[in-house]
Amino acid sequence: MFEEKYNELSYSEKNQFGTIINRLLLKGFVVRDVFDTKEKIVKISPDYRFLEKNFELVNDYLSLANWRIEIDKVLGVVSLLNFNDENRIKLDRETSLILFVLRLIYENERNQSSLTGESIYITTPILIKTMYEHGITFINKKLSGRSIARCLRFLANHNIILKVSGNYEEGNVAFYILPSIIYALDNEKIAAMSNALDNLIGESNESEVEKDETIN
């Protein structure tokens, strides 16, 4: 069945098919509305159009390796999923914290907007400010644009954010939070991380009180 559908594609479509499959396996997400950094406008991704048009063909191919895609046409997100829930990426503590905060920012901004699939524009100073407001810091590391750079680069490589300008190493990045963040971090994980952070903040506050009492 797959072979018959695949042979109906043109030569250029077959090349596009191979390219998109590799991007999916590498990044995990394809987002419909992308910002063209050269033309400074939002465009519809040709990868998204192709996947929408050839949904069954792509799934027939991916199913051979226990993969599939799902398309959220409201948010404009294609997600790559594994039938056996395998090949999940384990994030380190710092990247998990950044992802958590970005999801908070995304939800807050989206609640104030009428556009459900909208990407949210922010900068590293806004991200740092939000982290301080929620009492979130990196253990034994100063919170700065540079300390966050590695995490942002990782998220950009997986189509969760899209860098618009700036330099990661200089810590002055402007970027869009993409709607794929909804699928990168589900509500159950948000609740678990929120509880864990509350406990950490509580322990930190108790430690500070003990230090003050010892000094006095």
Side-chain angles (χ1 to χ4, degrees), residues 163-211:
K163 185 168 79 75
V164 176
S165 64
N167 185 294
Y168 286 118
E169 301 309 323
E170 294 178 3
N172 60 350
V173 175
F175 59 94
Y176 281 100
I177 308 173
L178 302 176
S180 49
I181 197 169
I182 296 294
Y183 291 93
L185 188 64
D186 61 33
N187 292 329
E188 289 183 3
K189 290 180 180 177
I190 285 180
M193 290 187 70
S194 180
N195 291 334
L197 284 170
D198 287 342
N199 292 334
L200 284 173
I201 292 171
E203 291 174 3
S204 176
N205 290 337
E206 290 178 4
S207 176
E208 289 299 321
V209 170
E210 290 176 1
K211 286 181 180 179

Short mmCIF file of all heavy atoms in Angstrom, two decimals, residues 163-211:
data_model
loop_
_atom_site.label_atom_id
_atom_site.label_comp_id
_atom_site.label_asym_id
_atom_site.label_seq_id
_atom_site.Cartn_x
_atom_site.Cartn_y
_atom_site.Cartn_z
N LYS A 163 14.41 30.88 17.33
CA LYS A 163 15.23 32.07 17.55
C LYS A 163 15.03 33.07 16.42
O LYS A 163 15.07 32.71 15.24
CB LYS A 163 16.71 31.71 17.66
CG LYS A 163 17.61 32.90 18.01
CD LYS A 163 19.00 32.44 18.40
CE LYS A 163 19.85 32.10 17.20
NZ LYS A 163 20.32 33.32 16.48
N VAL A 164 14.84 34.34 16.78
CA VAL A 164 14.62 35.41 15.80
C VAL A 164 15.88 36.24 15.64
O VAL A 164 16.27 36.60 14.52
CB VAL A 164 13.44 36.31 16.23
CG1 VAL A 164 13.29 37.48 15.27
CG2 VAL A 164 12.15 35.50 16.29
N SER A 165 16.52 36.56 16.75
CA SER A 165 17.72 37.40 16.70
C SER A 165 18.56 37.18 17.95
O SER A 165 18.14 36.52 18.89
CB SER A 165 17.33 38.88 16.58
OG SER A 165 16.63 39.30 17.74
N GLY A 166 19.76 37.76 17.93
CA GLY A 166 20.64 37.67 19.09
C GLY A 166 21.61 36.50 18.99
O GLY A 166 21.63 35.76 18.01
N ASN A 167 22.38 36.35 20.04
CA ASN A 167 23.41 35.32 20.10
C ASN A 167 23.28 34.54 21.40
O ASN A 167 23.22 35.12 22.48
CB ASN A 167 24.79 35.99 20.02
CG ASN A 167 25.92 34.99 19.94
OD1 ASN A 167 26.17 34.25 20.88
ND2 ASN A 167 26.61 34.97 18.81
N TYR A 168 23.23 33.22 21.29
CA TYR A 168 23.07 32.39 22.48
C TYR A 168 24.17 32.65 23.50
O TYR A 168 23.91 32.80 24.70
CB TYR A 168 23.09 30.90 22.09
CG TYR A 168 21.84 30.41 21.41
CD1 TYR A 168 21.89 29.92 20.10
CD2 TYR A 168 20.61 30.43 22.06
CE1 TYR A 168 20.74 29.45 19.48
CE2 TYR A 168 19.46 29.97 21.44
CZ TYR A 168 19.53 29.48 20.14
OH TYR A 168 18.40 29.03 19.53
N GLU A 169 25.40 32.68 23.03
CA GLU A 169 26.53 32.81 23.95
C GLU A 169 26.58 34.18 24.62
O GLU A 169 27.15 34.33 25.70
CB GLU A 169 27.84 32.54 23.21
CG GLU A 169 27.91 31.16 22.56
CD GLU A 169 27.56 30.05 23.54
OE1 GLU A 169 27.92 30.16 24.72
OE2 GLU A 169 26.90 29.08 23.12
N GLU A 170 26.03 35.19 23.98
CA GLU A 170 26.00 36.53 24.57
C GLU A 170 24.78 36.73 25.45
O GLU A 170 24.66 37.75 26.14
CB GLU A 170 26.05 37.59 23.46
CG GLU A 170 27.37 37.61 22.69
CD GLU A 170 27.37 38.63 21.57
OE1 GLU A 170 26.37 39.35 21.43
OE2 GLU A 170 28.37 38.68 20.83
N GLY A 171 23.85 35.78 25.40
CA GLY A 171 22.69 35.83 26.29
C GLY A 171 21.67 36.89 25.95
O GLY A 171 20.96 37.37 26.84
N ASN A 172 21.59 37.27 24.68
CA ASN A 172 20.66 38.34 24.30
C ASN A 172 19.70 37.88 23.21
O ASN A 172 19.45 38.57 22.24
CB ASN A 172 21.44 39.56 23.81
CG ASN A 172 22.31 39.23 22.59
OD1 ASN A 172 22.47 38.07 22.23
ND2 ASN A 172 22.86 40.26 21.97
N VAL A 173 19.14 36.68 23.39
CA VAL A 173 18.33 36.06 22.35
C VAL A 173 16.86 36.53 22.42
O VAL A 173 16.28 36.63 23.50
CB VAL A 173 18.38 34.52 22.47
CG1 VAL A 173 17.44 33.87 21.46
CG2 VAL A 173 19.80 34.04 22.25
N ALA A 174 16.30 36.82 21.25
CA ALA A 174 14.87 37.05 21.10
C ALA A 174 14.31 35.85 20.34
O ALA A 174 14.91 35.40 19.37
CB ALA A 174 14.59 38.34 20.34
N PHE A 175 13.17 35.33 20.77
CA PHE A 175 12.66 34.11 20.15
C PHE A 175 11.15 33.99 20.33
O PHE A 175 10.53 34.70 21.12
CB PHE A 175 13.35 32.88 20.74
CG PHE A 175 13.19 32.72 22.23
CD1 PHE A 175 12.18 31.92 22.76
CD2 PHE A 175 14.05 33.35 23.12
CE1 PHE A 175 12.02 31.77 24.13
CE2 PHE A 175 13.92 33.21 24.49
CZ PHE A 175 12.90 32.41 25.00
N TYR A 176 10.58 33.08 19.54
CA TYR A 176 9.16 32.74 19.67
C TYR A 176 9.02 31.42 20.42
O TYR A 176 9.75 30.46 20.14
CB TYR A 176 8.52 32.58 18.29
CG TYR A 176 8.16 33.89 17.61
CD1 TYR A 176 8.99 34.41 16.63
CD2 TYR A 176 7.00 34.58 17.95
CE1 TYR A 176 8.67 35.61 15.99
CE2 TYR A 176 6.67 35.76 17.32
CZ TYR A 176 7.51 36.27 16.34
OH TYR A 176 7.18 37.45 15.73
N ILE A 177 8.08 31.38 21.37
CA ILE A 177 7.68 30.11 21.96
C ILE A 177 6.62 29.52 21.02
O ILE A 177 5.58 30.13 20.79
CB ILE A 177 7.08 30.29 23.36
CG1 ILE A 177 8.01 31.10 24.25
CG2 ILE A 177 6.79 28.92 24.00
CD1 ILE A 177 7.40 31.45 25.60
N LEU A 178 6.90 28.36 20.45
CA LEU A 178 6.01 27.76 19.48
C LEU A 178 4.92 26.94 20.16
O LEU A 178 5.12 26.43 21.28
CB LEU A 178 6.81 26.88 18.53
CG LEU A 178 7.94 27.58 17.77
CD1 LEU A 178 8.73 26.57 16.94
CD2 LEU A 178 7.40 28.69 16.87
N PRO A 179 3.76 26.78 19.53
CA PRO A 179 2.65 26.02 20.14
C PRO A 179 2.98 24.55 20.37
O PRO A 179 2.28 23.86 21.11
CB PRO A 179 1.50 26.18 19.14
CG PRO A 179 2.14 26.61 17.86
CD PRO A 179 3.35 27.38 18.24
N SER A 180 4.07 24.06 19.79
CA SER A 180 4.50 22.68 20.04
C SER A 180 4.86 22.46 21.50
O SER A 180 4.92 21.31 21.96
CB SER A 180 5.71 22.34 19.15
OG SER A 180 6.70 23.35 19.24
N ILE A 181 5.06 23.54 22.26
CA ILE A 181 5.39 23.41 23.67
C ILE A 181 4.25 22.74 24.45
O ILE A 181 4.48 22.12 25.48
CB ILE A 181 5.73 24.79 24.30
CG1 ILE A 181 6.47 24.60 25.63
CG2 ILE A 181 4.48 25.65 24.47
CD1 ILE A 181 7.08 25.87 26.17
N ILE A 182 3.05 22.83 23.92
CA ILE A 182 1.90 22.16 24.55
C ILE A 182 2.11 20.65 24.59
O ILE A 182 1.73 19.97 25.54
CB ILE A 182 0.60 22.49 23.78
CG1 ILE A 182 0.29 23.99 23.85
CG2 ILE A 182 -0.57 21.68 24.33
CD1 ILE A 182 -0.04 24.50 25.22
N TYR A 183 2.72 20.11 23.52
CA TYR A 183 2.94 18.68 23.43
C TYR A 183 4.28 18.26 24.02
O TYR A 183 4.49 17.08 24.33
CB TYR A 183 2.86 18.23 21.97
CG TYR A 183 1.45 18.33 21.43
CD1 TYR A 183 1.02 19.48 20.77
CD2 TYR A 183 0.55 17.30 21.62
CE1 TYR A 183 -0.27 19.58 20.29
CE2 TYR A 183 -0.75 17.39 21.16
CZ TYR A 183 -1.16 18.54 20.48
OH TYR A 183 -2.45 18.65 20.03
N ALA A 184 5.18 19.20 24.18
CA ALA A 184 6.48 18.89 24.78
C ALA A 184 6.38 18.70 26.29
O ALA A 184 7.19 18.00 26.90
CB ALA A 184 7.48 19.99 24.45
N LEU A 185 5.37 19.33 26.88
CA LEU A 185 5.20 19.25 28.33
C LEU A 185 3.71 19.22 28.63
O LEU A 185 3.02 20.23 28.49
CB LEU A 185 5.86 20.46 29.01
CG LEU A 185 5.94 20.46 30.53
CD1 LEU A 185 6.83 19.32 31.01
CD2 LEU A 185 6.49 21.78 31.05
N ASP A 186 3.19 18.05 29.03
CA ASP A 186 1.76 17.93 29.26
C ASP A 186 1.37 18.46 30.63
O ASP A 186 2.20 18.77 31.47
CB ASP A 186 1.27 16.49 29.05
CG ASP A 186 1.94 15.51 30.01
OD1 ASP A 186 2.25 15.90 31.15
OD2 ASP A 186 2.16 14.36 29.61
N ASN A 187 0.06 18.53 30.88
CA ASN A 187 -0.46 19.13 32.12
C ASN A 187 -0.06 18.35 33.36
O ASN A 187 0.18 18.94 34.42
CB ASN A 187 -1.98 19.24 32.04
CG ASN A 187 -2.44 20.24 31.00
OD1 ASN A 187 -1.74 21.22 30.74
ND2 ASN A 187 -3.59 20.01 30.40
N GLU A 188 0.03 17.02 33.27
CA GLU A 188 0.42 16.22 34.42
C GLU A 188 1.85 16.53 34.85
O GLU A 188 2.15 16.63 36.03
CB GLU A 188 0.27 14.73 34.11
CG GLU A 188 -1.17 14.27 33.99
CD GLU A 188 -1.27 12.77 33.76
OE1 GLU A 188 -0.21 12.10 33.76
OE2 GLU A 188 -2.40 12.29 33.59
N LYS A 189 2.71 16.69 33.86
CA LYS A 189 4.11 17.00 34.16
C LYS A 189 4.24 18.41 34.74
O LYS A 189 5.08 18.66 35.60
CB LYS A 189 4.97 16.85 32.91
CG LYS A 189 5.14 15.40 32.47
CD LYS A 189 6.00 15.30 31.23
CE LYS A 189 6.16 13.85 30.80
NZ LYS A 189 6.94 13.71 29.55
N ILE A 190 3.41 19.32 34.23
CA ILE A 190 3.42 20.69 34.76
C ILE A 190 3.06 20.67 36.24
O ILE A 190 3.69 21.31 37.08
CB ILE A 190 2.44 21.59 33.99
CG1 ILE A 190 3.02 21.93 32.63
CG2 ILE A 190 2.16 22.87 34.76
CD1 ILE A 190 2.12 22.81 31.81
N ALA A 191 2.01 19.91 36.58
CA ALA A 191 1.57 19.83 37.98
C ALA A 191 2.66 19.21 38.85
O ALA A 191 2.94 19.70 39.96
CB ALA A 191 0.29 18.99 38.07
N ALA A 192 3.32 18.16 38.34
CA ALA A 192 4.38 17.50 39.10
C ALA A 192 5.56 18.45 39.32
O ALA A 192 6.12 18.52 40.42
CB ALA A 192 4.84 16.24 38.38
N MET A 193 5.95 19.19 38.27
CA MET A 193 7.06 20.12 38.38
C MET A 193 6.72 21.28 39.30
O MET A 193 7.56 21.74 40.07
CB MET A 193 7.45 20.64 36.99
CG MET A 193 8.11 19.61 36.11
SD MET A 193 8.72 20.31 34.57
CE MET A 193 10.09 21.29 35.17
N SER A 194 5.48 21.72 39.23
CA SER A 194 5.04 22.82 40.10
C SER A 194 5.14 22.41 41.56
O SER A 194 5.62 23.18 42.41
CB SER A 194 3.61 23.23 39.74
OG SER A 194 3.18 24.30 40.56
N ASN A 195 4.69 21.19 41.88
CA ASN A 195 4.77 20.69 43.25
C ASN A 195 6.22 20.53 43.70
O ASN A 195 6.56 20.86 44.84
CB ASN A 195 4.04 19.35 43.37
CG ASN A 195 2.54 19.49 43.21
OD1 ASN A 195 1.98 20.55 43.49
ND2 ASN A 195 1.90 18.43 42.76
N ALA A 196 7.06 20.03 42.80
CA ALA A 196 8.47 19.84 43.13
C ALA A 196 9.14 21.18 43.40
O ALA A 196 9.95 21.31 44.33
CB ALA A 196 9.18 19.12 41.99
N LEU A 197 8.80 22.19 42.59
CA LEU A 197 9.40 23.52 42.78
C LEU A 197 8.93 24.14 44.09
O LEU A 197 9.71 24.78 44.80
CB LEU A 197 9.01 24.42 41.60
CG LEU A 197 9.78 24.18 40.31
CD1 LEU A 197 9.16 24.96 39.17
CD2 LEU A 197 11.24 24.57 40.47
N ASP A 198 7.65 23.96 44.43
CA ASP A 198 7.13 24.48 45.69
C ASP A 198 7.89 23.86 46.87
O ASP A 198 8.22 24.55 47.84
CB ASP A 198 5.64 24.16 45.82
CG ASP A 198 4.78 25.02 44.90
OD1 ASP A 198 5.28 26.06 44.44
OD2 ASP A 198 3.63 24.64 44.65
N ASN A 199 8.17 22.57 46.79
CA ASN A 199 8.91 21.89 47.86
C ASN A 199 10.34 22.41 47.95
O ASN A 199 10.86 22.63 49.05
CB ASN A 199 8.92 20.38 47.61
CG ASN A 199 7.55 19.75 47.77
OD1 ASN A 199 6.71 20.28 48.49
ND2 ASN A 199 7.33 18.63 47.09
N LEU A 200 10.98 22.61 46.78
CA LEU A 200 12.35 23.12 46.77
C LEU A 200 12.43 24.52 47.34
O LEU A 200 13.33 24.85 48.12
CB LEU A 200 12.90 23.10 45.34
CG LEU A 200 13.30 21.74 44.78
CD1 LEU A 200 13.66 21.88 43.31
CD2 LEU A 200 14.47 21.17 45.56
N ILE A 201 11.46 25.36 46.96
CA ILE A 201 11.44 26.73 47.46
C ILE A 201 11.20 26.74 48.96
O ILE A 201 11.80 27.51 49.71
CB ILE A 201 10.35 27.55 46.73
CG1 ILE A 201 10.75 27.74 45.26
CG2 ILE A 201 10.16 28.91 47.39
CD1 ILE A 201 9.64 28.35 44.41
N GLY A 202 10.31 25.82 49.41
CA GLY A 202 10.05 25.72 50.85
C GLY A 202 11.28 25.30 51.62
O GLY A 202 11.59 25.86 52.67
N GLU A 203 12.01 24.32 51.07
CA GLU A 203 13.24 23.87 51.72
C GLU A 203 14.29 24.97 51.74
O GLU A 203 15.02 25.14 52.72
CB GLU A 203 13.78 22.64 50.98
CG GLU A 203 12.92 21.41 51.13
CD GLU A 203 13.40 20.27 50.26
OE1 GLU A 203 14.45 20.45 49.59
OE2 GLU A 203 12.75 19.21 50.25
N SER A 204 14.35 25.74 50.64
CA SER A 204 15.32 26.83 50.56
C SER A 204 15.01 27.91 51.60
O SER A 204 15.90 28.43 52.27
CB SER A 204 15.30 27.44 49.16
OG SER A 204 16.16 28.55 49.07
N ASN A 205 13.72 28.22 51.76
CA ASN A 205 13.32 29.24 52.73
C ASN A 205 13.62 28.79 54.16
O ASN A 205 14.06 29.57 55.00
CB ASN A 205 11.82 29.53 52.58
CG ASN A 205 11.50 30.28 51.29
OD1 ASN A 205 12.38 30.94 50.72
ND2 ASN A 205 10.27 30.19 50.84
N GLU A 206 13.38 27.49 54.44
CA GLU A 206 13.68 26.95 55.77
C GLU A 206 15.17 27.03 56.06
O GLU A 206 15.58 27.32 57.17
CB GLU A 206 13.20 25.50 55.86
CG GLU A 206 11.68 25.36 55.88
CD GLU A 206 11.25 23.92 55.91
OE1 GLU A 206 12.14 23.04 56.00
OE2 GLU A 206 10.04 23.66 55.85
N SER A 207 15.96 26.75 55.01
CA SER A 207 17.41 26.80 55.17
C SER A 207 17.88 28.21 55.48
O SER A 207 18.75 28.42 56.32
CB SER A 207 18.08 26.29 53.88
OG SER A 207 19.48 26.41 53.97
N GLU A 208 17.26 29.21 54.82
CA GLU A 208 17.63 30.60 55.05
C GLU A 208 17.27 31.02 56.48
O GLU A 208 18.01 31.75 57.14
CB GLU A 208 16.92 31.50 54.04
CG GLU A 208 17.44 31.38 52.62
CD GLU A 208 18.89 31.75 52.51
OE1 GLU A 208 19.32 32.70 53.17
OE2 GLU A 208 19.62 31.08 51.75
N VAL A 209 16.12 30.53 56.97
CA VAL A 209 15.69 30.85 58.33
C VAL A 209 16.67 30.29 59.33
O VAL A 209 17.06 30.93 60.30
CB VAL A 209 14.26 30.33 58.58
CG1 VAL A 209 13.92 30.44 60.07
CG2 VAL A 209 13.26 31.09 57.75
N GLU A 210 17.09 29.04 59.09
CA GLU A 210 18.05 28.40 60.00
C GLU A 210 19.38 29.15 60.03
O GLU A 210 19.99 29.30 61.07
CB GLU A 210 18.28 26.95 59.55
CG GLU A 210 17.07 26.06 59.78
CD GLU A 210 17.29 24.66 59.23
OE1 GLU A 210 18.40 24.42 58.70
OE2 GLU A 210 16.39 23.81 59.37
N LYS A 211 19.79 29.65 58.87
CA LYS A 211 21.04 30.41 58.79
C LYS A 211 20.91 31.69 59.61
O LYS A 211 21.80 32.08 60.37
CB LYS A 211 21.37 30.77 57.34
CG LYS A 211 21.88 29.60 56.54
CD LYS A 211 22.20 30.05 55.10
CE LYS A 211 22.70 28.87 54.27
NZ LYS A 211 22.99 29.30 52.87
#
